[in-house]
C-alpha cells in the first residue's frame, strides 16, 4: 500500500558545467520529467532552468536553508566545483551575492538530506577539469580519481550517505529520475552504489552489453574509420568493454547510443575520462595489441582468443565491418537458391 | 538614482548578473556580468585537433550540436574536406533539431513563465496566462515536454544521443541511415508538425511561413481567440504589454548563414543595417578592455586571439569578451537571421518598430515553422546506400574558421594547428555578441543598450521588464564564458 509522504524538497544548483545534464533531463520520457517528479513526491524548491523565482527570492531560499529555517532533502549540483584561482573560488561567483558558488555549495551540502552530484563534472571534475585544469575544477567528493573534492572523503549527508555520483557526460535522464525516485521511496542505501558512489542500477552494466556491434566484436571484425559498421575497439578508441553504464540497453533519445551513432564510447561515466592520454577516437596499441583490454579479461587470453576469432571471421562480417551500411546479409541455409 | 543588482538570473542558460542604475522609474545604465570562467580555449591548447570534437560540444549542453558543427567546419577547412550530400543533409537535420528544440525550450520554459508572475495579477489576461504558462506547473509545459522529447528521437537515430554527440565530423556524419530509418524520421516529423499546428500555432506551418507583414500577422491573430494557440496567446499578451517598445536593438544585425545543401544556404550569410550588406569575416575582433582577460592589444582578430584570465584587471567586470564587427556592436539570433534572409514579415516588423522583445520572439516562432518544413525536405532527399562521410588526414599545420548559426545566433570557432597539435583555439559564441560588456570606446553591448530605458515598477527588486528583455535574447552564458 502506497503511503503518502511529505514531499521531498529538492534544490538544484549549477557551477562549472554546460547545463547539458539539465537539458538531457528535460528529455525524460515515459513519463516526462514533471510527471516523474510528481510520482516521486519531489517538490522543486528551486531549479535554475525551471523555476519562476529569480534574484533575491532565490538567495532568500538558500539563506533559509543555511539558517535551518527550511528543510533541504536533496541537493543536486550540476557542473564542477570551481576552486580557482588559488583556491578562492572567484572563477565562479554566485550572482547577486558576491560570494563564490563553492562556499554556498559547501554550506548547503552540510544541511542536505542527500547530496547528488549530477554528471561527471560534479562527481569528479569532468571535462571542466581537462588540460592543465587551470580553473581548479573538482567534484563534490573527488578530484579526478583522488578522494577529496570540495567536501572531502568523509563527508556524509544528513541521511548518512556519501555524495551520490550520477556520473556521465551527460547523464541519461533515467539514471537521475530513478535514483531520485528510489531516494524518495526510502529504497536507496549504501548497497545501491559502486566504489565510485555511482548508482549500481546503471553501473552494474558495461556499455558493451547490448551493443548492436557485438557480433563484430566476437570475430574481431573491426571498423577502420568512423561510420564503419564494425567493432570500434581495435582502431577507434572504443571503451565500451571497460566503461560502466547501460547505454546500449537503455535507449537514448528514443533509440540511440554513442555506438549506434557510429562513434566510440569514451567512458564518460568514469573519473578522468576527459584526459585519456591519447586521441579519443584512436586506440593506442603496443605491438599491435590494444592497450585498454576488456574489463576482467586476462591479456594472454584476449590475445589468444582474438587471433582465433580473427581467423574464423565470416566474410559477411569482414565486409560489413568496413562499410558504412550493412552490405551483405546473413544467409538462410533453409532457403534453396 | 538607485542601484540594483539582479541575480541569480534564472531560466537563462548559465550564470548571469545584471547591475542596474535606475532613475525616474527607468533603467539609466546597465552592466551585464558573466560571473563564471571555464577556460575551454586553454583546455584545447596542445590537444590533437580531432579531439576538439569531444571537448567543443561540452562547452554547452543546450547548443552542443552547434558547437560541434562549428568545430567540424573549422577542422574541415583546415583539412580541405567537403561533405557528401548525405552528410550535409544529416548534419543539417541534427543541427536543425537542436535549434528548433532550443526555440521551444526558450518559448515555453524560459520566456513565457514571466507572464504568470504575480506582478501581472491585475491584468485582464493574467488568469489564462497563469494557467497555461506558470513555471513547472502550467499546462503548456505538460504539452510541450513530451512533444519535444519525441521530436528529439531524431537525435537518437541520426546522432546517437543528445547532447554531446560525436556524430558530426568534418567530412559528414558518422550515422548512415537505412530506408526504414528514413521512414521513421518522416513519421517523427509528421507527429511534430501535428504538435506545432495544433498547439503552438493553431494553423498550418505553410500559413505561418507565408505571413508577410505586420498587418497580416495582426489579422491572422484576430481570426481566433488568444487562448486558441500559444502563438496567438503570446501575440495578445505582447499587444497588451506593448512589447514592441521594450528592449530596442541598438546596432546592426549579423548572421553567419545556416543549413547548406549543395552550396546553397537556407538562411544566407550577411549583415542587416537598414538593408542587406555582405559580411566581412575579417572585420571581426574581440575587445577585452572591460573583460577579465590579459591583453597586449585592446582588440584581436580571432586567429590571433588570446584567453589569459586576469581576474583583477582594472575596469573589467565580466568574463564575456566584447566582439565587434568593424568596431560596431552586432545583434545576433533568429531576428538577425530572418532579417538577413529577408523574410518579409520580419523586415516589416523591424522597419516599423526596430528590433525589440516582440520581434525577437516572433522571429523565433516563425523560424520554427520555416525550419521544420525544410527538415521534411531534407529527410526526403537522404539517399540510403550512398556515403554519409568522407575522410582525410589532418595536416600538421593549417588553420580553419568554422562559422555556424546556433539558435541564439552566430557562432564561430577559429583553430590554428601547428606540429599536429592545436596551437590556438578561439570561440565567439552568440551571447558573447549580445551580452558583451563595454569596449575600449566605452560603447555598451547590445543587451546593455537594450536595457536602457526599461521601465521599473515601483517596489520591484527583480524588474519584470528587465527579465523580458534579457530573456528575449535567449542567452546562453555557459557558451559565452566557454
Amino acid at each position: 500500500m502506497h503511503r503518502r509522504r511529505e514531499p521531498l524538497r529538492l534544490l538544484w544548483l549549477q557551477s562549472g558545467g554546460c547545463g547539458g545534464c539539465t537539458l538531457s533531463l528535460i528529455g525524460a520520457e515515459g513519463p516526462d520529467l514533471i510527471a516523474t517528479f510528481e510520482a516521486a513526491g519531489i517538490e522543486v524548491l528551486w531549479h535554475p532552468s525551471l523555476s519562476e523565482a529569480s534574484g533575491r527570492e532565490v538567495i532568500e531560499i538558500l539563506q533559509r536553508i543555511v539558517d535551518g529555517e527550511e528543510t533541504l532533502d536533496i541537493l543536486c549540483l550540476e557542473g564542477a566545483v570551481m576552486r580557482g584561482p588559488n583556491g578562492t573560488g572567484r572563477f565562479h561567483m554566485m550572482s547577486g551575492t558576491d560570494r563564490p558558488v563553492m562556499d554556498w555549495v559547501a554550506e548547503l551540502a552540510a544541511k542536505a538530506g542527500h547530496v547528488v552530484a549530477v554528471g561527471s563534472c560534479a562527481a569528479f571534475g569532468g571535462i571542466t577539469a581537462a588540460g592543465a585544469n587551470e580553473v581548479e575544477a573538482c567534484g563534490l567528493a573527488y578530484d579526478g580519481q583522488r578522494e577529496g573534492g570540495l567536501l572531502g572523503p568523509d563527508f556524509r549527508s544528513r541521511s548518512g550517505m556519501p555524495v551520490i555520483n550520477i556520473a556521465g557526460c551527460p547523464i541519461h535522464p533515467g539514471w537521475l529520475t530513478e535514483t531520485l525516485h528510489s531516494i524518495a521511496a526510502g529504497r536507496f542505501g549504501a548497497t545501491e552504489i559502486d566504489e565510485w558512489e555511482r548508482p549500481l542500477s546503471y553501473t552494474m552494466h558495461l556499455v558493451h552489453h547490448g551493443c548492436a556491434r557485438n557480433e563484430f566484436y566476437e570475430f574481431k571484425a573491426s571498423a577502420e574509420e568512423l561510420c564503419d559498421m564494425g567493432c570500434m575497439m581495435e582502431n577507434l578508441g572504443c571503451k565500451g568493454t571497460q566503461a560502466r553504464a547501460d547505454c546500449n540497453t537503455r535507449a537514448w533519445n528514443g533509440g540511440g547510443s554513442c555506438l549506434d551513432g557510429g562513434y566510440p564510447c569514451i567512458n564518460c561515466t568514469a573519473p578522468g575520462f576527459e584526459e585519456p592520454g591519447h586521441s579519443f577516437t584512436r586506440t593506442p596499441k603496443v605491438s599491435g595489441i590494444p592497450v585498454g583490454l576488456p574489463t576482467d579479461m586476462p591479456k594472454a587470453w584476449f590475445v589468444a582468443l582474438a587471433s582465433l576469432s580473427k581467423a574464423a571471421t565470416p566474410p559477411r562480417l569482414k565486409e560489413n565491418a568496413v562499410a558504412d551500411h550493412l552490405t551483405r546479409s546473413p544467409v538462410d541455409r533453409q532457403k534453396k537458391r | 538614482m538607485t542601484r540594483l543588482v539582479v541575480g541569480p538570473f534564472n531560466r537563462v542558460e548559465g550564470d548571469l548578473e545584471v547591475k542596474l542604475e535606475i532613475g525616474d522609474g527607468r533603467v539609466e545604465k546597465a552592466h551585464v556580468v558573466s560571473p563564471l570562467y571555464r577556460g575551454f580555449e586553454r583546455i584545447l591548447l596542445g590537444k590533437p585537433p580531432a579531439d576538439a570534437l569531444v571537448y567543443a560540444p561540452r562547452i554547452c549542453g543546450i547548443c552542443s550540436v552547434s558547437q560541434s558543427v562549428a568545430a567540424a567546419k573549422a577542422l574541415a577547412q583546415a583539412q580541405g574536406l567537403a561533405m557528401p550530400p548525405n552528410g550535409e543533409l544529416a548534419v543539417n537535420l541534427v543541427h536543425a533539431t537542436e535549434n528548433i528544440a532550443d526555440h521551444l525550450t526558450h518559448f515555453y520554459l524560459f520566456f513565457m513563465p514571466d507572464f504568470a508572475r504575480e506582478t501581472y495579477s491585475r491584468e485582464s489576461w493574467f488568469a489564462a496566462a497563469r494557467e497555461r504558462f506558470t513555471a513547472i506547473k502550467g499546462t503548456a509545459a505538460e504539452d510541450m515536454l513530451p512533444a519535444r522529447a519525441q521530436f528529439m528521437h531524431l537525435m537518437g537515430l541520426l546522432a546517437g544521443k543528445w547532447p554531446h554527440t560525436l556524430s558530426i565530423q568534418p567530412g559528414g556524419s558518422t550515422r548512415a541511415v537505412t530506408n526504414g530509418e528514413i521512414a521513421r524520421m518522416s513519421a517523427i516529423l509528421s507527429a511534430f508538425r501535428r504538435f506545432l499546428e495544433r498547439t503552438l500555432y493553431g494553423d498550418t506551418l505553410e500559413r505561418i511561413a507565408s505571413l508577410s507583414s505586420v498587418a497580416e500577422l495582426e489579422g491572422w491573430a484576430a481570426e481566433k481567440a488568444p487562448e486558441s494557440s500559444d502563438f496567438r496567446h503570446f501575440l495578445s499578451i505582447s499587444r497588451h504589454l506593448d512589447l514592441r517598445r521594450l528592449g530596442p536593438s541598438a546596432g546592426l544585425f549579423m548572421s553567419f548563414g545556416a543549413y547548406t545543401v549543395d552550396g546553397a544556404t537556407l538562411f544566407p550569410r550577411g549583415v542587416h543595417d537598414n538593408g542587406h550588406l555582405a559580411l566581412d569575416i575579417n572585420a571581426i575582433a574581440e575587445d577585452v578592455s572591460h573583460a577579465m582577460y590579459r591583453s597586449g592589444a585592446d582588440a584581436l582578430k580571432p586567429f590571433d586571439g588570446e584567453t589569459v584570465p586576469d581576474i583583477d584587471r582594472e575596469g573589467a567586470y565580466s568574463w564575456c569578451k566584447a566582439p565587434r564587427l568593424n568596431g560596431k556592436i552586432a545583434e545576433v539570433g533568429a531576428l538577425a537571421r530572418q532579417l538577413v534572409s529577408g523574410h518579409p514579415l520580419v523586415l516589416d516588423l523591424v522597419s516599423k518598430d526596430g528590433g525589440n522583445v516582440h520581434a525577437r520572439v516572433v522571429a523565433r516562432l516563425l523560424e520554427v515553422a520555416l525550419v521544420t518544413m525544410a527538415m521534411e525536405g531534407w529527410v526526403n532527399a537522404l539517399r540510403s546506400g550512398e556515403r554519409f562521410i568522407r575522410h582525410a588526414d589532418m595536416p600538421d599545420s593549417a588553420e580553419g574558421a568554422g562559422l555556424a548559426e546556433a539558435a541564439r545566433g552566430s557562432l564561430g570557432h577559429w583553430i590554428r594547428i601547428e606540429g599536429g597539435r592545436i596551437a590556438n583555439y578561439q570561440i565567439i559564441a552568440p551571447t558573447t555578441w549580445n551580452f558583451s560588456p563595454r569596449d575600449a570606446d566605452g560603447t555598451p553591448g547590445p543587451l546593455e543598450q537594450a536595457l536602457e530605458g526599461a521601465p521599473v515598477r515601483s517596489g520591484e527588486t527583480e524588474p519584470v521588464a528587465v527579465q523580458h528583455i534579457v530573456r528575449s535574447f535567449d542567452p546562453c552564458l555557459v557558451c559565452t564564458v566557454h
Side-chain angles (χ1 to χ4, degrees):
Chain A
M1 187 64 199
H2 184 74
R3 194 161 49 90
R4 282 217 161 271
R5 301 177 304 262
E6 284 287 300
L8 287 190
R9 291 146 179 266
L10 179 146
L11 176 76
W12 187 295
L13 295 181
Q14 293 172 330
S15 193
C18 70
C21 290
T22 283
L23 269 298
S24 183
L25 183 64
I26 287 173
E29 284 184 275
D32 64 75
L33 181 63
I34 291 165
T36 304
F37 277 165
E38 204 174 271
I42 285 172
E43 179 193 332
V44 179
L45 277 176
W46 193 67
H47 183 298
S49 302
L50 302 173
S51 300
E52 180 182 303
S54 192
R56 279 170 209 210
E57 303 160 81
V58 182
I59 298 165
E60 277 166 22
I61 293 172
L62 304 184
Q63 197 58 54
R64 278 206 304 277
I65 296 168
V66 170
D67 295 343
E69 292 163 17
E70 179 102 56
T71 308
L72 176 61
D73 296 301
I74 302 172
L75 171 67
C76 290
L77 178 70
E78 174 183 6
V81 177
M82 303 296 278
R83 292 173 302 180
N86 303 316
T88 61
R90 289 172 67 213
F91 278 147
H92 189 195
M93 301 296 282
M94 174 75 86
S95 309
T97 71
D98 240 2
R99 284 185 70 200
V101 172
M102 177 174 87
D103 294 353
W104 279 107
V105 171
E107 285 191 0
L108 290 162
K111 300 286 180 182
H114 287 84
V115 177
V116 178
V118 181
S120 293
C121 289
F124 309 119
I127 213 85
T128 312
N133 194 8
E134 294 170 338
V135 295
E136 299 163 46
C138 68
L140 283 169
Y142 286 94
D143 180 358
Q145 294 175 345
R146 291 185 299 277
E147 290 184 336
L150 174 73
L151 302 173
D154 300 326
F155 174 84
R156 295 293 177 272
S157 58
R158 222 176 52 239
S159 64
M161 287 286 284
V163 173
I164 300 160
N165 292 320
I166 320 272
C169 187
I171 57 156
H172 187 291
W175 299 344
L176 182 71
T177 56
E178 287 165 22
T179 305
L180 292 181
H181 201 131
S182 298
I183 290 172
R187 283 196 296 267
F188 198 88
T191 56
E192 301 294 320
I193 50 178
D194 71 9
E195 67 272 37
W196 299 105
E197 290 81 37
R198 301 174 300 193
L200 281 165
S201 58
Y202 76 92
T203 65
M204 280 289 272
H205 306 266
L206 292 172
V207 167
H208 183 55
H209 298 162
C211 176
R213 295 170 189 241
N214 276 356
E215 195 189 20
F216 294 101
Y217 172 83
E218 287 164 22
F219 288 99
K220 296 290 161 292
S222 295
E224 288 170 7
E225 299 278 9
L226 296 175
C227 198
D228 288 352
M229 305 294 289
C231 175
M232 292 188 277
M233 179 194 159
E234 189 177 1
N235 300 316
L236 297 176
C238 185
K239 295 190 170 154
T241 53
Q242 307 152 55
R244 287 168 60 182
D246 57 5
C247 296
N248 281 305
T249 49
R250 182 196 290 270
W252 286 78
N253 300 108
S257 72
C258 292
L259 295 307
D260 278 340
Y263 52 93
C265 169
I266 58 171
N267 199 6
C268 73
T269 56
F273 88 94
E274 68 278 3
E275 283 296 334
H278 59 84
S279 188
F280 282 97
T281 54
R282 289 289 150 199
T283 306
K285 295 176 197 174
V286 176
S287 36
I289 299 175
V291 169
L293 291 181
T295 294
D296 313 324
M297 189 155 187
K299 187 172 175 181
W301 277 102
F302 178 82
V303 172
L305 288 174
S307 60
L308 259 180
S309 55
K310 265 199 176 177
T313 309
R316 172 174 58 86
L317 292 176
K318 233 175 225 168
E319 264 176 47
N320 285 337
V322 291
D324 59 352
H325 297 67
L326 294 174
T327 52
R328 193 155 163 167
S329 54
V331 174
D332 190 337
R333 291 170 204 268
Q334 303 303 310
K335 172 81 178 173
K336 299 282 179 247
R337 295 225 172 231
Chain B
M1 191 192 70
T2 53
R3 285 171 200 275
L4 209 53
V5 177
V6 188
F9 230 99
N10 61 329
R11 286 182 288 108
V12 302
E13 182 47 50
D15 281 62
L16 171 68
E17 181 176 274
V18 180
K19 292 183 170 158
L20 303 170
E21 294 175 20
I22 296 162
D24 206 18
R26 301 207 162 259
V27 174
E28 286 179 351
K29 229 183 231 179
H31 284 77
V32 172
V33 180
S34 302
L36 167 67
Y37 168 71
R38 294 175 69 213
F40 270 72
E41 290 160 331
R42 296 181 66 79
I43 288 173
L44 284 160
L45 293 177
K47 301 282 184 207
D51 282 5
L53 296 169
V54 172
Y55 294 106
R58 289 172 166 85
I59 289 168
C60 180
I62 193 164
C63 53
S64 89
V65 165
S66 293
Q67 301 287 347
S68 293
V69 168
K73 284 185 171 184
L75 291 169
Q77 199 177 77
Q79 291 175 277
L81 192 57
M83 295 184 190
N86 270 341
E88 282 188 331
L89 293 166
V91 170
N92 280 350
L93 282 164
V94 172
H95 196 186
T97 303
E98 176 176 275
N99 282 342
I100 290 179
D102 267 8
H103 284 341
L104 286 184
T105 307
H106 174 259
F107 180 75
Y108 281 104
L109 299 186
F110 295 175
F111 186 76
M112 294 304 285
D114 277 327
F115 300 111
R117 284 178 179 277
E118 223 25 61
T119 187
Y120 290 129
S121 60
R122 291 181 185 178
E123 307 286 343
S124 58
W125 46 265
F126 179 71
R130 185 177 54 181
E131 172 168 351
R132 185 74 186 142
F133 297 111
T134 297
I136 303 181
K137 299 190 170 79
T139 56
E142 249 169 64
D143 291 342
M144 184 281 256
L145 283 174
R148 177 185 174 280
Q150 283 200 24
F151 176 58
M152 298 290 270
H153 286 195
L154 289 172
M155 293 297 198
L157 272 166
L158 281 166
K161 71 160 198 255
W162 183 88
H164 305 338
T165 175
L166 247 175
S167 70
I168 294 162
Q169 296 284 323
S173 158
T174 61
R175 181 60 158 85
V177 294
T178 63
N179 280 328
E181 287 161 344
I182 291 172
R184 272 157 71 192
M185 287 191 275
S186 289
I188 291 167
L189 281 173
S190 291
F192 185 60
R193 178 185 262 266
R194 185 188 306 170
F195 162 75
L196 294 179
E197 294 188 338
R198 288 189 182 170
T199 307
L200 178 58
Y201 300 123
D203 211 328
T204 62
L205 301 188
E206 286 74 10
R207 179 86 194 280
I208 299 300
S210 70
L211 294 169
S212 63
S213 68
V214 172
E216 249 187 80
L217 177 68
E218 284 171 0
W220 174 83
E223 283 173 16
K224 289 181 187 166
E227 290 86 38
S228 64
S229 79
D230 295 322
F231 188 22
R232 284 194 173 89
H233 206 155
F234 161 75
L235 291 171
S236 163
I237 292 172
S238 179
R239 196 167 55 249
H240 277 103
L241 290 176
D242 212 6
L243 296 184
R244 293 171 308 154
R245 306 273 166 258
L246 208 59
S249 302
L252 46 81
F253 298 89
M254 181 180 79
S255 169
F256 284 167
Y259 309 124
T260 307
V261 183
D262 275 341
T265 47
L266 178 65
F267 302 137
R269 177 174 298 183
V271 171
H272 181 88
D273 192 4
N274 293 318
H276 187 92
L277 299 168
L279 170 62
D280 176 11
I281 298 298
N282 294 315
I284 294 172
E286 279 194 297
D287 174 298
V288 294
S289 56
H290 293 76
M292 293 186 269
Y293 299 99
R294 199 182 72 196
S295 177
D298 269 342
L300 290 172
K301 292 185 176 185
F303 274 125
D304 308 320
E306 291 174 0
T307 306
V308 183
D310 178 3
I311 199 163
D312 296 314
R313 179 172 178 153
E314 203 170 326
Y317 58 90
S318 180
W319 290 107
C320 181
K321 295 180 184 176
R324 297 290 186 260
L325 180 69
N326 267 325
K328 293 180 184 160
I329 64 167
E331 179 174 328
V332 299
L335 179 60
R337 222 160 22 234
Q338 294 313 318
L339 280 170
V340 171
S341 290
H343 193 285
L345 170 60
V346 174
L347 285 173
D348 196 36
L349 277 166
V350 171
S351 73
K352 289 204 164 59
D353 299 303
N356 52 61
V357 169
H358 171 81
R360 287 181 200 113
V361 175
V362 170
R364 220 171 258 126
L365 294 181
L366 170 70
E367 199 169 87
V368 169
L370 295 172
V371 176
T372 304
M373 289 159 64
M375 289 176 79
E376 292 170 338
W378 296 332
V379 165
N380 278 329
L382 286 170
R383 291 289 166 262
S384 176
E386 291 174 20
R387 295 293 303 176
F388 275 70
I389 194 168
R390 291 193 187 110
H391 301 287
D393 289 336
M394 189 67 69
D396 264 6
S397 292
E399 54 181 35
L403 306 176
E405 281 289 311
R408 293 157 197 78
S410 311
L411 168 67
H413 286 201
W414 285 261
I415 189 173
R416 207 175 68 239
I417 302 166
E418 285 169 15
R421 298 271 157 173
I422 296 173
N424 197 10
Y425 204 106
Q426 291 288 315
I427 301 148
I428 307 181
T431 304
T432 321
W433 288 95
N434 289 338
F435 283 34
S436 65
R438 283 149 172 79
D439 56 30
D441 296 334
T443 309
L447 173 65
E448 294 183 331
Q449 295 195 34
L451 285 169
E452 287 175 12
V456 178
R457 298 177 168 215
S458 70
E460 274 190 318
T461 56
E462 322 294 330
V464 74
V466 169
Q467 313 260 343
H468 296 323
I469 294 167
V470 167
R471 293 200 182 93
S472 73
F473 287 92
D474 190 7
C476 180
L477 279 305
V478 293
C479 286
T480 298
V481 299
H482 318 318

